[in-house]
Coordinates of all heavy atoms in Angstrom, one line a residue:
S1 N 130.0 115.4 18.5 CA 130.4 114.4 19.4 C 130.1 113.0 19.0 O 131.0 112.1 19.0 CB 129.8 114.5 20.8 OG 128.2 114.5 20.6
V2 N 129.0 112.7 18.2 CA 128.7 111.4 17.8 C 129.6 111.1 16.5 O 130.1 110.1 16.2 CB 127.2 111.3 17.4 CG1 126.9 109.9 16.8 CG2 126.4 111.5 18.7
L3 N 130.0 112.1 15.7 CA 130.7 112.1 14.5 C 132.2 111.6 15.0 O 132.8 110.7 14.5 CB 130.7 113.4 13.8 CG 131.6 113.4 12.5 CD1 131.1 112.3 11.5 CD2 131.5 114.8 11.9
I4 N 132.6 112.3 16.0 CA 134.0 112.1 16.5 C 134.1 110.6 16.9 O 135.0 109.9 16.6 CB 134.4 113.2 17.6 CG1 134.5 114.4 17.1 CG2 135.6 112.6 18.4 CD1 134.7 115.5 18.3
W5 N 133.1 110.2 17.6 CA 133.1 108.8 18.2 C 133.0 107.8 17.1 O 133.6 106.8 17.1 CB 131.9 108.5 19.0 CG 131.6 107.1 19.4 CD1 130.8 106.2 18.9 CD2 132.4 106.4 20.4 NE1 130.8 105.0 19.4 CE2 131.9 105.0 20.3 CE3 133.5 106.6 21.1 CZ2 132.5 103.9 21.1 CZ3 134.0 105.5 21.9 CH2 133.4 104.2 21.9
S6 N 132.3 108.1 16.0 CA 132.1 107.2 14.9 C 133.4 107.0 14.2 O 133.7 105.8 13.8 CB 131.0 107.8 13.9 OG 129.8 107.8 14.5
Y7 N 134.3 108.1 13.9 CA 135.5 107.9 13.4 C 136.4 106.9 14.2 O 137.0 106.0 13.6 CB 136.2 109.3 13.3 CG 135.7 110.2 12.4 CD1 135.6 111.7 12.7 CD2 135.3 109.7 11.1 CE1 135.1 112.5 11.7 CE2 134.9 110.7 10.1 CZ 134.8 112.1 10.4 OH 134.3 112.9 9.6
L8 N 136.4 107.1 15.5 CA 137.2 106.2 16.3 C 136.7 104.7 16.3 O 137.5 103.8 16.3 CB 137.2 106.7 17.8 CG 138.2 106.0 18.7 CD1 139.5 106.0 18.4 CD2 137.9 106.4 20.2
Q9 N 135.4 104.7 16.2 CA 134.9 103.2 16.3 C 135.2 102.5 14.9 O 135.7 101.3 15.0 CB 133.4 103.2 16.5 CG 132.7 101.9 16.3 CD 131.2 102.0 16.7 OE1 130.8 102.7 17.5 NE2 130.4 101.2 16.0
L10 N 135.1 103.2 13.8 CA 135.4 102.6 12.5 C 137.0 102.3 12.4 O 137.5 101.2 11.9 CB 135.0 103.4 11.5 CG 135.3 102.9 10.0 CD1 134.6 101.6 9.8 CD2 134.8 104.0 9.0
A11 N 137.8 103.2 13.0 CA 139.3 103.1 13.0 C 139.6 101.6 13.7 O 140.3 100.8 13.2 CB 139.9 104.2 13.5
I12 N 139.2 101.6 14.9 CA 139.6 100.5 15.7 C 139.1 99.2 15.4 O 139.7 98.2 15.2 CB 139.2 100.8 17.2 CG1 140.1 102.1 17.7 CG2 139.5 99.6 18.2 CD1 139.6 102.5 19.3
L13 N 137.7 99.2 15.2 CA 137.1 98.0 14.8 C 137.3 97.5 13.4 O 137.4 96.2 13.1 CB 135.5 98.0 15.2 CG 135.1 98.4 16.5 CD1 133.7 98.5 16.7 CD2 135.6 97.3 17.5
G14 N 137.5 98.5 12.6 CA 137.8 98.0 11.2 C 139.2 97.2 11.0 O 139.3 96.3 10.3
C15 N 140.2 97.9 11.8 CA 141.4 97.3 11.9 C 141.4 95.9 12.5 O 142.2 95.0 12.1 CB 142.5 98.2 12.5 SG 142.9 99.7 11.5
S16 N 140.7 95.9 13.6 CA 140.4 94.5 14.3 C 139.9 93.5 13.5 O 140.1 92.3 13.5 CB 139.7 94.8 15.6 OG 140.2 95.7 16.5
A17 N 139.0 93.9 12.5 CA 138.5 92.9 11.7 C 139.5 92.1 10.7 O 139.2 91.0 10.3 CB 137.4 93.7 10.6
A18 N 140.5 92.8 10.5 CA 141.6 92.2 9.6 C 142.3 91.0 10.4 O 143.0 90.2 9.8 CB 142.6 93.2 9.2
L19 N 142.2 91.0 11.8 CA 142.7 90.0 12.5 C 141.6 88.8 12.9 O 141.9 88.0 13.7 CB 143.1 90.5 13.9 CG 144.1 91.7 13.7 CD1 144.6 92.3 15.2 CD2 145.4 91.3 13.1
S20 N 140.5 88.9 12.3 CA 139.5 87.9 12.6 C 140.0 86.5 12.4 O 140.5 86.1 11.3 CB 138.2 88.2 11.8 OG 137.8 89.5 11.9
P21 N 139.9 85.6 13.4 CA 140.3 84.2 13.3 C 139.3 83.3 12.6 O 139.6 82.3 12.0 CB 140.5 83.7 14.6 CG 139.6 84.6 15.4 CD 139.5 86.0 14.8
T22 N 138.0 83.8 12.6 CA 136.9 83.0 12.1 C 135.9 83.9 11.3 O 135.9 85.1 11.4 CB 136.1 82.2 13.2 OG1 135.4 83.3 14.0 CG2 137.0 81.4 14.1
Y23 N 135.0 83.2 10.5 CA 134.0 83.9 9.8 C 133.1 84.7 10.6 O 132.7 85.8 10.3 CB 133.4 82.9 8.9 CG 132.1 83.5 8.2 CD1 132.2 84.0 6.9 CD2 130.8 83.2 8.7 CE1 131.1 84.5 6.3 CE2 129.7 83.7 8.1 CZ 129.8 84.4 6.9 OH 128.7 84.9 6.2
S24 N 132.6 84.0 11.7 CA 131.6 84.7 12.6 C 132.2 85.9 13.2 O 131.6 87.0 13.4 CB 131.2 83.7 13.8 OG 130.5 82.5 13.1
V25 N 133.5 85.9 13.7 CA 134.1 87.1 14.3 C 134.3 88.2 13.3 O 133.9 89.4 13.6 CB 135.5 86.6 14.8 CG1 136.2 88.0 15.4 CG2 135.4 85.7 16.0
Y26 N 134.6 87.8 12.1 CA 134.7 88.8 11.0 C 133.3 89.6 10.8 O 133.2 90.7 10.6 CB 135.1 88.3 9.8 CG 135.3 89.2 8.7 CD1 136.4 90.3 8.6 CD2 134.5 89.1 7.5 CE1 136.4 91.2 7.7 CE2 134.6 90.0 6.5 CZ 135.5 91.2 6.5 OH 135.8 92.0 5.5
C27 N 132.2 88.7 10.8 CA 130.9 89.3 10.6 C 130.5 90.1 11.6 O 129.9 91.2 11.4 CB 129.9 88.1 10.5 SG 130.0 87.3 8.9
I28 N 130.9 89.8 12.9 CA 130.5 90.8 14.0 C 131.3 92.0 14.0 O 130.7 93.2 14.1 CB 131.0 90.1 15.3 CG1 130.1 89.0 15.6 CG2 130.9 91.1 16.5 CD1 130.6 88.0 16.9
F29 N 132.6 92.1 13.5 CA 133.3 93.3 13.3 C 132.7 94.1 12.3 O 132.7 95.4 12.3 CB 134.8 93.1 13.1 CG 135.6 92.8 14.2 CD1 136.3 91.6 14.5 CD2 135.7 93.7 15.4 CE1 137.1 91.4 15.6 CE2 136.4 93.5 16.5 CZ 137.1 92.3 16.6
R30 N 132.3 93.5 11.1 CA 131.7 94.2 10.0 C 130.5 94.9 10.4 O 130.1 96.0 9.9 CB 131.5 93.2 8.8 CG 132.8 93.0 8.1 CD 133.6 94.1 7.5 NE 132.8 94.6 6.3 CZ 133.0 95.9 5.9 NH1 133.8 96.6 6.5 NH2 132.2 96.3 4.9
F31 N 129.7 94.2 11.2 CA 128.3 94.8 11.7 C 128.7 96.0 12.5 O 128.0 97.1 12.2 CB 127.7 93.9 12.6 CG 126.4 94.3 13.2 CD1 125.2 94.2 12.5 CD2 126.4 94.9 14.4 CE1 124.0 94.6 13.0 CE2 125.2 95.4 15.0 CZ 124.0 95.3 14.4
L32 N 129.6 96.1 13.3 CA 130.1 97.3 14.2 C 130.6 98.3 13.3 O 130.4 99.6 13.6 CB 131.0 96.9 15.2 CG 130.5 95.8 16.2 CD1 131.5 95.4 17.3 CD2 129.3 96.4 17.0
C33 N 131.4 97.8 12.3 CA 131.9 99.0 11.3 C 130.8 99.5 10.5 O 130.8 100.8 10.3 CB 132.9 98.3 10.3 SG 134.5 97.8 10.9
G34 N 129.8 98.9 10.2 CA 128.5 99.4 9.5 C 127.9 100.5 10.3 O 127.5 101.5 9.9
M35 N 127.7 100.2 11.6 CA 127.2 101.1 12.6 C 127.9 102.5 12.6 O 127.5 103.6 12.5 CB 127.2 100.6 14.0 CG 126.2 99.5 14.2 SD 126.2 99.0 16.0 CE 125.7 100.4 16.8
A36 N 129.3 102.4 12.6 CA 130.2 103.6 12.5 C 130.0 104.3 11.2 O 130.1 105.5 11.2 CB 131.6 103.1 12.7
V37 N 129.9 103.5 10.1 CA 129.8 104.3 8.8 C 128.6 105.1 8.8 O 128.5 106.2 8.2 CB 129.9 103.3 7.7 CG1 129.3 103.8 6.4 CG2 131.2 102.7 7.6
S38 N 127.5 104.4 9.4 CA 126.2 105.3 9.5 C 126.3 106.5 10.3 O 125.8 107.6 9.9 CB 125.2 104.3 10.0 OG 123.9 104.9 9.9
G39 N 127.0 106.4 11.4 CA 127.1 107.6 12.2 C 128.0 108.7 11.6 O 127.6 109.9 11.7
I40 N 128.9 108.2 10.7 CA 129.8 109.3 10.1 C 129.0 109.9 9.0 O 129.1 111.2 8.8 CB 131.0 108.6 9.4 CG1 131.9 108.1 10.5 CG2 131.8 109.5 8.5 CD1 133.1 107.2 10.0
I41 N 128.3 109.2 8.1 CA 127.4 109.8 6.9 C 126.3 110.7 7.5 O 126.3 111.9 7.1 CB 126.8 108.7 6.2 CG1 128.0 107.9 5.5 CG2 125.9 109.2 5.1 CD1 127.6 106.7 4.6
I42 N 125.5 110.3 8.5 CA 124.3 111.1 8.7 C 124.8 112.3 9.5 O 124.2 113.4 9.4 CB 123.2 110.2 9.6 CG1 123.8 109.8 10.9 CG2 122.9 109.1 8.7 CD1 122.7 109.1 11.8
N43 N 125.8 112.2 10.3 CA 126.3 113.4 11.2 C 127.1 114.3 10.3 O 127.1 115.6 10.5 CB 127.1 113.0 12.3 CG 126.1 112.4 13.4 OD1 125.5 113.1 14.2 ND2 126.1 111.1 13.6
G44 N 127.9 113.8 9.4 CA 128.7 114.5 8.5 C 127.8 115.4 7.6 O 127.9 116.6 7.3
V45 N 126.7 114.8 6.9 CA 125.8 115.5 6.1 C 125.1 116.7 6.8 O 125.1 117.8 6.4 CB 124.7 114.5 5.7 CG1 123.6 115.4 4.9 CG2 125.4 113.7 4.6
S46 N 124.7 116.5 8.0 CA 123.9 117.5 8.8 C 124.8 118.5 9.3 O 124.6 119.8 9.3 CB 123.2 116.9 10.1 OG 122.2 116.0 9.6
L47 N 126.0 118.2 9.8 CA 127.0 119.1 10.3 C 127.4 120.1 9.1 O 127.7 121.3 9.4 CB 128.2 118.5 10.9 CG 129.0 119.3 11.9 CD1 128.2 119.9 13.0 CD2 130.2 118.5 12.5

């Protein structure tokens, strides 16, 4: 369940990062993308 959510989070927020109007907004999106990447890696390895 967490792996499935992580895929969706990275897809949506990663694409949203490309629309960032400012540096600060881009950094926020990259932070959230990093969270999703972590969820994909640790759950993928264990599963």
Side-chain angles (χ1 to χ4, degrees):
S1 58
V2 177
L3 180 60
I4 292 173
W5 169 260
S6 298
Y7 286 140
L8 183 62
Q9 178 174 324
L10 183 56
I12 294 176
L13 299 181
C15 292
S16 299
L19 305 176
S20 301
T22 64
Y23 172 84
S24 299
V25 172
Y26 181 67
C27 287
I28 292 172
F29 278 123
R30 286 299 289 160
F31 178 87
L32 297 173
C33 287
M35 289 183 62
V37 168
S38 192
I40 292 172
I41 291 176
I42 63 177
N43 286 286
V45 169
S46 290
L47 201 56

